[in-house]
DNA sequence: TTAGGGTTAG
């Protein structure tokens, strides 16, 4: 029986010797409870005065920071065993409410049933408070059927005109997902109070129907219905979700004017809303002005930074949070891990993982998925698998995270095997799962499998390919050298190809030296994405690859004339938990001179192992030796040199960069891994390269 | 005594 958890937690302590304590209905520590109890017994008040009896029950059972399961247990045993005055609805109401508030709705329901049994023998009848509180417990437990039968009692007992009963029923139906039933009841309420509206709106919130929340609020304004902070919390949240910055802003201004931002929940909802509407700095200003910030407020601010791709700031503010009394919870850690994943901040993320274990934070499916994704995005695929296996519950997001992780770490076969296991586990794949599957195929040149999965996606799962799926297919065909087929594939697409799709083709043309289709691809890209420097560089490199130097130079000139700047290459490396950032030709670092000396030493050493600089990707307007110097100062070579200087011999060097690894850096890094006997893991904008013993996990593909 | 609220992953 569910009740046992609380009720049998402690036996009734022996009554202490009588003492002259006068009973006052204050919250009592458990050691005081038997004393008070004894005093009331002695004076006879406990059995003769229902007033005193109820005050004692309340003081003992109603949750306060000092209340424990033992308090609840004590009160319930008193109710059951006595002695006490004749019981009334109020006696049961106090405990039903206390159990609900203490987070034991199942025990509250059980007590309600007990009350119905007692009703027959002791003439105790549930009142409207009983019904409202019991319905709340049903809502908390998502016990829709039980809720319906409690409503039947309410009808039988004639409580259906009571505002509290109605409001709790609306809330119960709505939070159990039966919004239609909630709406039917809502419509029957003649005098709708602010709580009635709020209960209905909360129902749409629970069901993620954000548009309806906003519509309902607009309807409220029209009929001049009353609203309060609670209403605005729901509406602000909805504005954030659907990006209605206009209404969100109005609510923000209104709440400021009326001083409602003193309400912490509303302030938090507004912080979240501003962040989701792209007004991150506004969110921060409000956050900074909050009088008290609990874990939810901190989490909202951190996730705001993470979702806006300002991950360094997310980690900075997380550090600030740790200087406070507020402890992070599982939700906080989801955002922190996702920031670490984006930054490739392995040490920080590992620390988060150990914190989760140490504090026994619940490994929810969301947190576990974030962990899997974090390890995979840091190139630690074995740890990602371990995290995956440690999860008690996995869903399609979890499987997808690992499939994508496998794919981008060059383990396409395993990604496809995982996909089969996922199907065997009866987890439905989503559109994103198929992006992982197609990535696995394209990174591993599995053309036939790719074609099959692409077709099966629609035929077997009814998932219609999005532009990303087409992009993967073009990439797959193009990498495999099937340039004409890739080109034809784009022409046959039922949706408009975007610049990404064309760029995949252009990139394949560069690798496979196809000038004609490369030119066509660039022609298509220019109107779609005229400012992306990569387009011009790819075609220029295509010309260069077949020796058409004049055309190559022309393209670069055209790019300069259009004022398009090459995106500077940038590499990040994390050492001892600090992230260092390097740009090509960087001289910002205080140890610049030593780093450049290390680069020279590195290049000399790998030249002896057979390295020949590949200057195809270098600037074209300088002579060969300058080109060689220029490629040797690419950001990842600087970062690797720094990593060699600063880490202990044999330690793995991990870096992440914003562009794709160039051909020269790729061949140089292979040799560095061999000459210096280091494993080097490089995350580029598309995938991972695990360099070891002179080889790379991507097989140069 | 009694009803309603904010943060999270691929």
């Amino acid at each position: 029986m569910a009740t046992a958890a609380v009720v049998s937690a402690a036996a009734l302590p022996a009554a202490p010797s009588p003492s002259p304590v006068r009973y006052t209905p204050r919250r009592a520590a458990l050691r005081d409870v038997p004393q008070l109890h004894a005093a009331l017994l002695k004076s006879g008040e406990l059995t003769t005065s229902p007033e005193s009896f109820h005050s004692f029950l309340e003081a003992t059972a109603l949750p306060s920071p000092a209340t424990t399961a033992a308090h609840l247990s004590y009160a319930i045993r008193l109710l059951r065993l006595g002695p006490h005055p004749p019981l009334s609805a109020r006696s049961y109401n106090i405990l039903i409410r206390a159990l609900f508030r203490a987070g034991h709705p199942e025990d509250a329901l059980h007590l309600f049933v007990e009350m119905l049994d007692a009703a027959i023998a002791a003439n105790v009848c549930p009142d409207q408070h009983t019904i409202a509180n019991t319905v709340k417990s049903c809502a908390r437990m998502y016990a829709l059927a039980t809720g319906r039968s409690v409503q039947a009692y309410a009808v039988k007992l004639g409580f259906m005109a009571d505002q509290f009963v109605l409001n709790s029923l609306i809330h119960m139906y709505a939070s159990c997902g039966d919004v239609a039933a909630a709406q039917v009841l809502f419509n029957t309420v003649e005098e709708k109070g602010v709580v009635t509206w709020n209960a209905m709106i909360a129902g749409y919130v629970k069901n993620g129907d954000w548009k309806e929340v906003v519509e309902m609020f607009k309807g409220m304004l029209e009929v001049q219905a009353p609203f309060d902070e609670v209403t605005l919390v729901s509406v602000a949240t909805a504005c954030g979700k659907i990006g209605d910055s206009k209404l969100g802003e109005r609510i923000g201004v209104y709440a400021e004017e009326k001083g409602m931002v003193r309400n912490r929940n509303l302030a938090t909802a507004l912080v979240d809303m501003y962040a989701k509407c792209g007004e991150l700095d506004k969110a921060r200003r409000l956050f900074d002005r909050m009088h008290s910030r609990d874990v939810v407020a901190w989490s909202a601010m951190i996730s705001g930074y993470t979702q806006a791709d300002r991950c360094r700031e997310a980690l900075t503010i997380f550090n600030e949070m740790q200087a406070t009394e507020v402890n992070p919870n599982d939700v906080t850690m989801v955002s922190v891990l996702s920031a670490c994943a984006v930054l490739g901040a392995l040490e920080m993320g590992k620390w988060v993982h150990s914190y989760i274990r140490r504090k026994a934070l619940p490994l929810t499916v969301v947190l576990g998925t974030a962990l899997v994704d974090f390890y995979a995005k840091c190139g630690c695929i074995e740890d990602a698998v371990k995290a995956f296996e440690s999860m008690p519950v996995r869903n399609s997001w979890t499987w997808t995270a690992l499939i994508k992780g496998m794919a981008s770490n060059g383990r396409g076969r395993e990604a496809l095997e995982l996909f089969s296991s996922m199907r065997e586990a009866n987890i439905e794949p989503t559109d994103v799962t198929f992006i992982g599957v197609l990535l696995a195929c394209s990174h591993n040149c599995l053309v036939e499998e790719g074609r099959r999965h692409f077709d099966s996606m629609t035929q077997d799962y009814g998932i219609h390919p999005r532009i990303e799926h087409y992009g993967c297919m073009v990439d797959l065909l193009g990498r495999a050298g099937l340039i004409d087929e890739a080109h034809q594939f784009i022409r046959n697409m039922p949706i408009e190809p975007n610049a990404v799709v064309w760029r995949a083709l252009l990139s394949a043309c560069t690798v496979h030296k196809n000038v004609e289709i490369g030119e066509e691809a660039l022609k298509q890209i220019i109107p779609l994405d005229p400012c992306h420097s990569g387009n011009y560089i790819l075609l220029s490199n295509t010309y260069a690859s077949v020796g058409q130097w004049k055309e190559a130079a022309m393209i670069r000139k055209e790019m300069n004339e259009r004022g398009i700047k090459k995106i500077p290459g940038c590499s990040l490396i994390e050492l001892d938990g600090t992230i260092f950032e390097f740009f090509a030709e960087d001289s910002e670092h205080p140890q610049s001179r030593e780093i450049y000396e290390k680069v020279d030493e590195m290049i000399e050493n790998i030249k002896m192992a057979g390295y020949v600089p590949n200057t195809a990707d270098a600037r074209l307007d300088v002579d060969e030796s300058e080109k060689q110097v220029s490629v040797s100062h690419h950001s990842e070579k600087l970062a690797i040199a720094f990593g060699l200087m600063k880490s202990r011999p044999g330690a793995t060097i991990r870096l992440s960069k914003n562009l794709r690894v160039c051909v020269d850096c790729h061949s140089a890094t292979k040799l560095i891994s061999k000459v210096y006997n280091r494993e080097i893991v490089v995350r580029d904008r598309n995938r991972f390269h695990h360099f070891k013993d002179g080889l790379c996990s991507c097989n140069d593909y």
Side-chain angles (χ1 to χ4, degrees):
Chain A
M1 191 72 56
T3 319
V6 166
V7 175
S8 65
L12 202 61
S17 54
S19 67
V21 179
R22 286 284 315 158
Y23 168 61
T24 46
R26 270 185 296 112
R27 289 293 141 72
L30 186 59
R31 61 188 157 76
D32 300 332
V33 169
Q35 222 171 358
L36 292 170
H37 189 185
L40 282 172
L41 270 173
K42 194 178 170 222
S43 68
E45 271 183 88
L46 191 75
T47 46
T48 55
S49 157
E51 176 77 10
S52 292
F53 172 65
H54 291 145
S55 294
F56 179 69
L57 276 188
E58 279 192 334
T60 308
L62 275 181
S64 73
T67 319
T68 64
H71 288 86
L72 279 164
S73 181
Y74 196 105
I76 288 169
R77 290 175 70 88
L78 176 59
L79 183 86
R80 285 187 182 151
L81 304 175
H84 49 59
L87 295 179
S88 65
R90 177 149 164 71
S91 323
Y92 283 94
N93 292 347
I94 291 168
L95 289 179
I96 289 175
R97 191 157 48 102
L99 285 167
F100 171 78
R101 289 209 197 153
H104 304 286
E106 67 287 349
D107 292 336
L109 272 183
H110 186 250
L111 194 61
F112 174 68
V113 174
E114 201 177 304
M115 179 183 181
L116 294 180
D117 291 340
I120 302 159
N123 201 21
V124 182
C125 187
D127 63 9
Q128 64 272 37
H129 306 294
T130 324
I131 300 295
N133 278 310
T134 306
V135 167
K136 271 191 345 180
S137 290
C138 297
R140 179 71 58 83
M141 292 168 62
Y142 303 104
L144 187 57
T146 315
R148 282 205 192 96
S149 36
V150 179
Q151 184 183 359
Y153 272 103
V155 173
K156 201 170 104 187
L157 298 168
F159 295 138
M160 287 304 280
D162 184 271
Q163 281 273 315
F164 291 89
V165 169
L166 279 168
N167 291 340
S168 60
L169 281 168
I170 291 169
H171 175 243
M172 187 274 295
Y173 282 117
S175 71
C176 291
D178 193 345
V179 185
Q183 185 79 55
V184 167
L185 262 181
F186 178 79
N187 293 340
T188 66
V189 181
E190 281 181 17
E191 297 264 310
K192 294 182 180 67
V194 61
V195 180
T196 317
W197 286 98
N198 289 348
M200 196 59 230
I201 286 189
Y204 289 113
V205 168
K206 272 249 158 60
N207 289 279
D209 195 345
W210 309 109
K211 282 207 171 109
E212 192 55 41
V213 173
V214 168
E215 284 314 307
M216 197 146 186
F217 181 63
K218 287 179 176 165
M220 286 174 76
L221 294 179
E222 254 169 47
V223 301
Q224 295 188 310
F227 64 87
D228 63 4
E229 284 101 325
V230 180
T231 327
L232 297 186
V233 167
S234 294
V235 184
T237 307
C239 289
K241 295 278 184 190
I242 60 175
D244 189 339
S245 55
K246 217 172 125 204
L247 181 60
E249 180 73 42
R250 269 180 66 193
I251 290 173
V253 170
Y254 181 89
E256 292 277 2
E257 278 173 9
K258 302 282 177 189
M260 287 172 155
V261 287
R262 279 194 299 269
N263 179 310
R264 189 168 64 189
N265 285 3
L266 180 53
T268 304
L270 289 170
V271 165
D272 177 55
M273 180 275 295
Y274 283 131
K276 289 201 168 67
C277 289
E279 298 267 15
L280 200 55
D281 298 318
K282 209 174 240 177
R284 181 58 190 266
R285 281 198 295 278
L286 177 54
F287 177 80
D288 285 341
R289 290 206 324 275
M290 286 173 72
H291 294 296
S292 76
R293 305 178 194 97
D294 63 358
V295 62
V296 182
W298 282 100
S299 303
M301 196 63 241
I302 293 170
S303 90
Y305 279 116
T306 306
Q307 288 171 2
D309 210 16
R310 286 165 63 170
C311 293
R312 280 164 167 273
E313 285 153 287
L315 295 187
T316 306
I317 197 166
F318 175 63
N319 282 332
E320 286 173 31
M321 176 185 181
Q322 287 176 282
T324 71
E325 301 272 276
V326 185
N327 291 321
N329 65 10
D330 56 314
V331 179
T332 324
M333 290 316 199
V334 168
S335 297
V336 175
L337 279 172
S338 123
C340 291
V342 171
L343 295 170
L346 182 62
E347 290 310 314
M348 177 77 181
K350 276 185 175 167
W351 177 87
V352 171
H353 192 182
S354 72
Y355 184 96
I356 292 168
R357 290 206 193 101
R358 218 163 49 237
K359 301 281 178 182
L361 296 187
L363 192 62
T364 61
V365 64
V366 179
L367 181 57
T369 303
L371 206 50
V372 170
D373 183 52
F374 155 74
Y375 277 122
K377 286 213 173 106
C378 285
C380 303
I381 201 71
E382 302 306 334
D383 293 300
V385 172
K386 274 188 214 149
F388 179 88
E389 284 170 349
S390 74
M391 289 172 63
V393 182
R394 310 175 189 108
N395 64 11
S396 70
W397 286 60
T398 323
W399 285 88
T400 302
L402 193 58
I403 290 172
K404 286 181 85 173
M406 284 285 180
S408 50
N409 280 282
R411 296 166 61 159
R413 284 282 171 207
E414 283 153 281
L416 296 181
E417 280 163 21
L418 261 176
F419 178 68
S420 305
S421 312
M422 176 180 180
R423 297 304 300 126
E424 279 162 24
N426 272 324
I427 307 287
E428 274 303 299
T430 66
D431 53 342
V432 187
T433 316
F434 279 100
I435 290 178
V437 168
L438 295 177
L439 278 176
C441 297
S442 86
H443 288 339
N444 291 270
C445 200
L446 305 168
V447 179
E448 278 320 305
E449 276 96 334
R451 285 201 185 104
R452 219 179 52 234
H453 284 297
F454 185 81
D455 293 337
S456 142
M457 183 167 121
T458 319
Q459 284 165 12
D460 304 331
Y461 300 95
I463 299 170
H464 292 290
R466 287 189 286 118
I467 194 83
E468 288 89 341
H469 299 94
Y470 289 104
C472 287
M473 282 307 284
V474 172
D475 192 53
L476 169 65
L477 298 168
R479 278 173 193 267
L482 304 167
I483 305 281
D484 287 316
E485 190 183 340
H487 190 196
Q488 204 50 46
F489 184 87
I490 297 180
R491 297 204 164 283
N492 292 338
M493 276 171 58
I495 50 178
E496 264 321 293
N498 63 8
V500 179
V501 171
W502 284 111
R503 195 148 44 234
L505 181 66
L506 175 53
S507 162
C509 290
T510 310
V511 175
H512 296 285
K513 306 183 184 187
N514 189 322
V515 170
E516 192 192 334
I517 296 182
E519 284 173 338
E520 163 71 8
L522 183 65
K523 208 168 95 193
Q524 298 290 343
I525 296 174
I526 302 275
L528 297 171
D529 187 6
C531 297
H532 193 294
S533 60
N535 305 331
Y536 304 89
I537 291 162
L538 279 171
L539 187 60
S540 163
N541 291 350
T542 314
Y543 285 129
S545 71
V546 295
Q548 296 188 18
W549 304 107
K550 221 170 79 191
E551 285 81 356
M554 282 278 287
I555 287 281
R556 299 268 177 153
K557 194 166 154 245
E558 191 183 331
M559 181 175 131
N560 290 335
E561 280 168 3
R562 292 184 185 219
I564 296 161
K565 294 263 178 295
K566 221 175 144 174
I567 299 167
C570 167
S571 296
L572 303 177
I573 181 165
E574 189 196 45
L575 292 164
D576 293 330
T578 309
I579 297 167
F580 297 89
E581 196 172 42
F582 289 91
F583 290 92
E585 310 284 352
D586 204 331
S587 54
E588 291 294 309
H589 196 278
Q591 283 177 284
S592 234
R593 198 173 53 83
E594 290 93 325
I595 294 169
Y596 280 99
E597 282 170 10
K598 187 72 182 178
V599 169
D600 290 342
E601 176 214 296
M602 219 166 66
I603 300 288
E604 283 314 309
N605 281 336
I606 57 175
K607 270 186 179 164
M608 282 191 279
Y611 166 70
V612 181
N614 179 327
T615 54
D617 294 340
R619 294 163 54 198
L620 296 169
D621 53 352
V622 292
D623 69 27
E624 184 59 26
S625 70
E626 281 179 89
K627 282 183 187 175
Q628 288 193 17
V629 173
S630 146
V631 296
S632 77
H633 294 170
H634 278 175
S635 67
E636 60 227 85
K637 295 203 185 76
L638 300 182
I640 291 173
F642 187 64
L644 285 175
M645 284 161 60
K646 293 290 176 185
S647 59
R648 63 181 165 73
T652 302
I653 293 176
R654 300 172 182 277
L655 43 126
S656 64
K657 60 167 302 171
N658 62 339
L659 304 173
R660 284 169 67 172
V661 183
C662 80
V663 177
D664 183 70
C665 284
H666 196 266
S667 56
T669 309
K670 281 198 291 185
L671 288 167
I672 295 167
S673 74
K674 189 174 174 184
V675 171
Y676 288 88
N677 194 24
R678 293 282 193 126
E679 197 176 333
I680 301 172
V681 182
V682 178
R683 177 173 77 167
D684 73 14
R685 62 178 299 158
N686 273 356
R687 61 182 302 173
F688 278 93
H689 301 266
H690 294 258
F691 297 94
K692 199 180 175 186
D693 298 331
L695 297 173
C696 176
S697 62
C698 78
N699 289 320
D700 306 335
Y701 184 58

